[in-house]
Amino acid sequence: DFEKHNVSPLEAIYEIDKFSQAYIEMINAEDKYIYCLKYLRHKIYWHSIMATAIYSNYPYIQELKKVLVAFYYQNWIAGATIARIKQTSFNILKLVKEQKEIEYIKGECLKNLKSYNTIETFDTELNSPYVYGKSWDRATLLLLEYFSQDNSSQKFIPLNSNLQIEHILPQTITKDNIIWEKDFPDKEKRELVTDSIGNLTLLSMRKNVQ
């Protein structure tokens, strides 16, 4: 096989090592875009794209990270299946290998989003009164957390049982929090905002208990 492709075993080993180093650099990057991508369920696609971008010194790598976050999160929130992102991911990977300008990749993503009506579905889901309990609720709140801070030394926040969602306006009005009823006397309107994304915040388990 090496002879068939006119590649020596040593050259192949060197390239494998170089790609491995690119992958390690990507995984260990202290970068808010990479942090957001790490929460995605289907990691193989963005892993392959970003590792290849680093390996090949893709000149638009900063813009690429932004495009990938926008594309994959819109699909995730819109409830897209793996089949809907698979081919587009392969196409993006090919464009990165070919060192195509970022506009080509943006165009590939937009073509996918428009063909499945993803943008409209994403907007509906994100603005729904029933965000709490969605598979993407904590990840999306963390995305907002990362980008609400102008801090280049942010650390990755893992999604685990220590990170919990708390309602600001409580789900249930009791004698201990009756003051909320004064500010939100209309029960129907209260129910419309209770589980919306604007009423949710992230707390560590310890702070939430307190």
Side-chain angles (χ1 to χ4, degrees):
D1 286 340
F2 290 126
E3 292 179 359
K4 180 180 178 181
H5 295 285
N6 196 28
V7 176
S8 72
L10 285 177
E11 286 176 321
I13 291 170
Y14 170 76
E15 293 302 325
I16 291 170
D17 178 67
K18 185 181 174 184
F19 189 84
S20 299
Q21 292 303 316
Y23 182 85
I24 292 169
E25 180 182 335
M26 172 198 68
I27 290 298
N28 292 332
E30 293 188 352
D31 182 292
K32 63 179 73 177
Y33 292 99
I34 297 297
Y35 295 164
C36 294
L37 290 169
K38 284 183 176 182
Y39 302 130
L40 296 169
R41 293 172 295 174
H42 308 301
K43 301 180 187 299
I44 187 171
Y45 300 116
W46 76 264
H47 276 184
S48 301
I49 294 167
M50 285 305 306
T52 299
I54 295 170
Y55 167 79
S56 63
N57 293 316
Y58 182 63
Y60 310 101
I61 196 164
Q62 294 303 320
E63 294 94 332
L64 176 64
K65 289 184 289 188
K66 297 176 184 179
V67 171
L68 294 182
V69 169
F71 176 68
Y72 287 121
Y73 266 80
Q74 284 185 78
N75 273 285
W76 187 11
I77 292 171
T81 62
I82 189 171
R84 278 170 48 176
I85 64 171
K86 186 176 181 180
Q87 188 56 55
T88 298
S89 298
F90 291 154
N91 294 345
I92 294 170
L93 182 59
K94 183 174 183 290
L95 291 169
V96 169
K97 286 181 178 179
E98 294 173 350
Q99 301 284 289
K100 293 290 188 180
E101 293 182 3
I102 194 66
E103 295 306 318
Y104 286 89
I105 294 175
K106 288 181 180 179
E108 190 67 33
C109 291
L110 281 172
K111 183 171 69 175
N112 176 290
L113 295 171
K114 289 179 180 178
S115 65
Y116 293 108
N117 204 38
T118 304
I119 298 172
E120 289 77 7
T121 308
F122 157 78
D123 187 65
T124 299
E125 287 294 319
L126 194 62
N127 289 290
S128 164
Y130 308 108
V131 166
Y132 179 66
K134 299 283 188 180
S135 63
W136 43 265
D137 55 5
R138 289 188 301 166
T140 303
L141 288 169
L142 281 172
L143 187 150
L144 294 171
E145 176 68 19
Y146 289 132
F147 290 98
S148 66
Q149 301 177 35
D150 185 17
N151 186 351
S152 59
S153 61
Q154 290 171 313
K155 298 299 181 184
F156 177 67
I157 304 171
L159 277 180
N160 54 37
S161 58
N162 184 54
L163 188 67
Q164 299 183 340
I165 289 183
E166 179 58 70
H167 290 75
I168 301 168
L169 167 64
Q171 289 175 292
T172 305
I173 301 295
T174 67
K175 63 180 181 180
D176 296 320
N177 57 30
I178 195 68
I179 191 171
W180 286 104
E181 196 168 52
K182 178 183 176 182
D183 295 326
F184 293 86
D186 189 321
K187 185 179 179 182
E188 289 186 6
K189 287 184 179 179
R190 192 165 67 231
E191 289 176 350
L192 281 175
V193 300
T194 300
D195 289 331
S196 67
I197 197 165
N199 190 51
L200 305 176
T201 189
L202 292 168
L203 291 175
S204 68
M205 182 185 294
R206 181 179 178 184
K207 287 183 179 178
N208 201 8
V209 170
Q210 290 173 345

